[in-house]
Amino acid sequence: MNDAVTRPFNDDLLQFIAASPTPFHATAEMARRLTEAGFERIHEADSWQLQAGGRYFVTRNDSSILAFVYTGEALAESGIRMVGAHTDSPCLKVKPHADVQSVGYSQVGVEVYGGVLLNTWFDRDLSIAGRITYKDTASEPCSRLIDFTTPVAVVPSLAIHLDREANRNSSINAQEDIRPLLMLTPKNDQTTTFKQLLSEQLAEQGATINASDILDYELCLYDTQKPALVGLKREFIASARLDNLLSCYVGLQALLAADGDQHRLLICTDHEEVGSASACGAKGPMLDQFLQRLIPDVNDRMRTLERSIMVSADNAHGVHPNFVQKHDAQHRPMLNGGPVIKVNANQRYATNSETSGMFRLLCEEAGVAVQSFVSRTDMECGSTIGPISAAEVGVRTIDVGVPTFAMHSIRELAGSDDAVALKQVLELFYRRPLRLGSSV
């Protein structure tokens, strides 16, 4: 693909990911970009009076976001073009009582969030970010984002001399082996608690909040190594959280670039990596409640959904050159080979022949190559928000994504052409009228 097209797109993608170490920061960054593009922020607690021709967005829990372009067309006649992704990624989360002391070192207690590839978290320069909830001057709970930005923690490996079997037979105890190291415990100092460290960081960010006023927090550790284009010909994107911030970014860019009379919706929800069963997850009511408020009449809402379609965008497993046998021989997506249609007979993906045919047609019209992924029959298949959203709101859905290596590692790898290609297809999807419905 033309480097003049891909390079600016990928540079901005890398900036987006770097600005989004947690779902809270990703949602704030998307909200900022939407506001700059002229979208109006609405709040779920307010009464809505959405106007034809309006562009709106709404957030929930500061970690999920929904953006909607409301054209002048009748919803029940045209339906809605929907793209879904998720804001969360597997990581280490800080425990509520985080202070851990061991042989003169201060550590931070963590728990595993999602299907983390744990061995990749050793010996990385880690920082901490997330959301703090504190008591304000009126003794009311208030929240704000925090980001240490610089490396403040590390999980050191055990030396090979102390574990001679490490390269042959190694297992990781999630309770004992991955507690990050923060600092040497100050001698004769029992006052430096984790909350005190948070208070000091907030002061550096311009917020004076006493440690005693911090009520709780939701914090993640993250790798401070910046996203980068790598490879001899810069053919690959190496970054944390490609699953699934890449799809959030692609969906957002497609939404902002598309024009035409189609109603367009982007929804990026939290908690996909742990099943989506939350108020702000895809298994929760956020999308359905939005549709109920948008289309109060049940008949009109059902007619709208019958004419609607969702693209669930999440990363796909590219065929790894060192582990070719892990793929079905006829379904081996290549990095930079184009977006992947994900299929599973047991509904782990929501793709069917109708939605797959629609996506293939769009790829053909956009001049984009398309690939397919099906798991080996003797291996279990992961899942996405696709089947969940289809079941929750009853909308036709397809699961797609860009091929990726090292999914759920602290640093994943994708092709530098694929995100741009997926954006081109989703932009066409957002603007092109589609006739849906089976013929008998």
Side-chain angles (χ1 to χ4, degrees), residues 201-276:
Q201 177 60 33
L202 288 166
E204 289 190 18
Q205 295 180 195
T208 303
I209 300 171
N210 295 326
S212 59
D213 290 330
I214 295 176
L215 302 171
D216 217 328
Y217 47 74
E218 294 174 75
L219 302 173
C220 304
L221 284 98
Y222 71 93
D223 187 5
T224 58
Q225 184 177 1
K226 296 296 185 184
L229 294 174
V230 303
L232 282 175
K233 297 183 179 180
R234 303 173 71 83
E235 294 170 294
F236 309 114
I237 298 171
S239 176
R241 304 180 299 282
L242 290 178
D243 177 15
N244 190 27
L245 292 185
L246 183 149
S247 299
C248 291
Y249 176 82
V250 169
L252 178 63
Q253 293 302 108
L255 181 75
L256 296 178
D259 53 20
D261 295 329
Q262 301 301 312
H263 301 287
R264 304 184 289 279
L265 182 149
L266 172 68
I267 181 165
C268 299
T269 49
D270 197 0
H271 300 141
E272 188 273 347
E273 298 294 355
V274 292
S276 293

Side-chain angles (χ1 to χ4, degrees), residues 69-391:
V69 176
Y70 194 8
T71 71
E73 294 293 308
L75 282 160
E77 300 301 325
S78 64
I80 303 172
R81 303 289 172 265
M82 307 180 189
V83 172
H86 64 88
T87 59
D88 61 321
S89 303
C91 65
L92 303 182
K93 283 199 167 184
V94 180
K95 289 182 175 179
H97 298 291
D99 295 290
V100 178
Q101 306 296 326
S102 179
V103 294
Y105 296 96
S106 293
Q107 297 173 280
V108 58
V110 294
E111 61 178 330
V112 174
Y113 177 85
V116 178
L117 197 58
L118 285 175
N119 65 301
T120 65
W121 283 75
F122 288 96
D123 308 316
R124 308 293 295 191
D125 299 340
L126 304 177
S127 194
I128 299 171
R131 181 173 68 178
I132 302 285
T133 301
Y134 61 96
K135 180 175 63 177
D136 67 10
T137 54
S139 292
E140 296 290 340
C142 188
S143 295
R144 66 178 296 128
L145 301 189
I146 186 173
D147 186 356
F148 280 75
T149 65
T150 59
V152 297
V154 64
V155 185
S157 295
L158 183 65
I160 188 71
H161 313 80
L162 303 179
D163 184 6
R164 293 293 185 178
E165 297 298 312
N167 289 331
R168 291 186 289 271
N169 183 24
S170 181
S171 62
I172 300 170
N173 184 298
Q175 174 68 17
E176 304 292 338
D177 299 343
I178 61 168
R179 284 195 297 262
L181 175 66
L182 290 178
M183 61 182 176
L184 287 165
T185 303
K187 292 182 179 180
N188 303 317
D189 181 1
Q190 303 301 317
T191 63
T192 304
T193 65
F194 184 70
K195 284 188 176 181
Q196 183 62 40
L197 297 176
L198 296 180
S199 177
E200 292 172 3
Q201 177 60 33
L202 288 166
E204 289 190 18
Q205 295 180 195
T208 303
I209 300 171
N210 295 326
S212 59
D213 290 330
I214 295 176
L215 302 171
D216 217 328
Y217 47 74
E218 294 174 75
L219 302 173
C220 304
L221 284 98
Y222 71 93
D223 187 5
T224 58
Q225 184 177 1
K226 296 296 185 184
L229 294 174
V230 303
L232 282 175
K233 297 183 179 180
R234 303 173 71 83
E235 294 170 294
F236 309 114
I237 298 171
S239 176
R241 304 180 299 282
L242 290 178
D243 177 15
N244 190 27
L245 292 185
L246 183 149
S247 299
C248 291
Y249 176 82
V250 169
L252 178 63
Q253 293 302 108
L255 181 75
L256 296 178
D259 53 20
D261 295 329
Q262 301 301 312
H263 301 287
R264 304 184 289 279
L265 182 149
L266 172 68
I267 181 165
C268 299
T269 49
D270 197 0
H271 300 141
E272 188 273 347
E273 298 294 355
V274 292
S276 293
S278 70
C280 58
K283 204 170 184 177
M286 185 177 180
L287 176 56
D288 188 48
Q289 288 174 348
F290 173 80
L291 294 172
Q292 289 181 38
R293 296 181 76 166
L294 179 66
I295 318 165
D297 182 81
V298 174
N299 264 346
D300 286 346
R301 190 162 64 252
M302 294 302 100
R303 292 177 61 208
T304 299
L305 285 168
E306 177 60 22
R307 289 178 167 86
S308 299
I309 192 165
M310 172 178 277
V311 175
S312 165
D314 204 343
N315 299 42
H317 296 293
V319 58
H320 195 302
N322 297 342
F323 302 94
V324 176
Q325 71 279 7
K326 294 295 185 179
H327 275 68
D328 181 87
Q330 277 68 51
H331 302 89
R332 293 175 173 174
M334 291 286 297
L335 271 61
N336 288 326
V340 179
I341 297 173
K342 298 152 69 173
V343 178
N344 180 258
N346 297 300
Q347 287 297 294
R348 301 294 288 171
Y349 304 132
T351 304
N352 60 31
S353 63
E354 183 180 48
T355 56
S356 176
M358 176 275 301
F359 193 81
R360 289 181 184 280
L361 177 63
L362 292 174
C363 288
E364 180 181 311
E365 293 183 5
V368 167
V370 62
Q371 308 181 83
S372 297
F373 173 78
V374 181
S375 290
R376 284 178 56 107
T377 307
D378 56 359
M379 293 178 64
E380 291 188 9
C381 179
S383 192
T384 69
I385 66 166
I388 295 171
S389 298

